[in-house]
């Protein structure tokens, strides 16, 4: 069975640690899993009035892209103990119009990555709260709070072996969880 899995990175910046972690996960995907990189930086802020008329083309394209996925892996920074606004906006865009939530039923993985010691715990759990309402079954264990991230990268910007091994463990658990729910 081939699977298509979305990768959504909550950071917009070029040198994002979260993007680096997402790339490391993508590199570990088996050949029967196709990654789809979801871009969120060009989504206009959610406004119900726009859904009542002709929705922005960027919303329509994003919704169609998400609807076609088998699952979604989220990589989130922590901004002020929560998720970045751009990530929350993407969740909101995909959740509407009412009754057309494209996230529903898609198994999710939540990874939070931070240079800070608590590994984006606040963002990780705020995201989980929204995913519960969006009806996305979310991997519970192992949890993925990747803290002190700058210390987990070698001089070439690659994650050190112990971290890559941990990423593999998380990914294996997520894929097994997803397949069980298919
Ligand atoms: C607006 C803002 C708020 C932040 N708040 C937190 C925070 O609450 N906790 C934390 O660990 N780091 C916080 N940071 C630091 C981020 O963890 C750091 O910038 C990180 O590199 C962002 O992820 P990225 O590398 O994927 O872009 C904040 C950064 C910004 C720009």
């Amino acid at each position: 069975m081939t699977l298509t899995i979305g990768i959504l990175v909550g950071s917009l910046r070029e040198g994002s640690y979260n993007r680096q972690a997402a790339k490391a996960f993508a590199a570990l995907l088996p050949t029967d899993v196709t990654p789809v990189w979801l871009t969120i930086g060009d989504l206009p802020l959610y406004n119900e009035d726009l859904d009542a008329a002709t929705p922005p083309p960027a919303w329509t394209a994003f919704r169609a892209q998400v609807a076609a996925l088998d699952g979604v892996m989220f990589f989130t920074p922590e901004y002020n103990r929560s998720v970045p606004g751009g990530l929350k906006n993407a969740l909101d865009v995909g959740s509407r119009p009412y009754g057309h939530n494209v996230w529903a039923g898609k198994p999710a993985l939540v990874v939070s990555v931070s240079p800070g010691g608590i590994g984006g715990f606040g963002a990780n759990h705020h995201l989980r709260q929204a995913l519960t309402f969006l009806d996305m079954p979310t991997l519970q264990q192992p949890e993925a709070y990747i803290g002190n991230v700058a210390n987990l990268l070698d001089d070439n910007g690659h994650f050190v072996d112990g971290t890559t091994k941990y990423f593999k463990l998380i990914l294996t658990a997520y894929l097994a969880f997803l397949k069980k729910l298919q």
Side-chain angles (χ1 to χ4, degrees):
M1 177 175 51
T2 60
L3 295 169
T4 305
I5 296 185
I7 301 179
L8 195 156
V9 178
S11 173
L12 304 182
R13 76 186 187 92
E14 190 70 28
S16 160
Y17 288 120
N18 278 273
R19 193 168 307 283
Q20 280 177 267
K23 284 182 181 164
F25 271 73
L28 294 169
L29 285 171
T31 51
D32 59 349
V33 178
T34 306
V36 173
W37 291 84
L38 299 170
T39 54
I40 61 170
D42 60 343
L43 296 173
L45 285 179
Y46 189 72
N47 173 346
E48 277 192 273
D49 291 342
L50 303 184
D51 255 341
T54 304
W59 289 2
T60 308
F62 183 74
R63 287 165 175 165
Q65 201 177 28
V66 173
L69 300 172
D70 294 305
V72 186
M73 301 198 292
F74 292 92
F75 295 83
T76 186
E78 181 170 87
Y79 277 10
N80 301 310
R81 295 286 182 258
S82 187
V83 296
L87 170 51
K88 183 57 166 57
N89 184 53
L91 294 177
D92 296 340
V93 166
S95 73
R96 295 283 156 150
Y98 186 77
H100 298 272
N101 167 21
V102 293
W103 304 108
K106 296 190 192 299
L109 172 68
V110 175
V111 179
S112 52
V113 180
S114 172
I118 58 175
F121 175 88
N124 191 304
H125 281 265
H126 274 192
L127 180 53
R128 285 171 181 274
Q129 180 173 322
L131 300 189
T132 299
F133 188 63
L134 293 171
D135 199 16
M136 299 186 82
T138 303
L139 182 73
Q140 300 299 306
Q141 294 290 342
E143 295 166 286
Y145 313 111
I146 313 302
N148 298 313
V149 62
N151 299 338
L152 305 178
L153 293 156
D154 65 21
D155 292 344
N156 299 317
H158 298 125
F159 283 98
V160 295
D161 287 351
T163 303
T164 302
K165 213 166 144 191
Y166 185 50
F167 286 178
K168 206 168 193 169
L169 189 83
I170 297 165
L171 185 63
T172 302
Y174 172 62
L175 293 176
F177 172 70
L178 188 153
K179 283 177 184 166
K180 210 158 57 178
L181 292 172
Q182 285 286 299

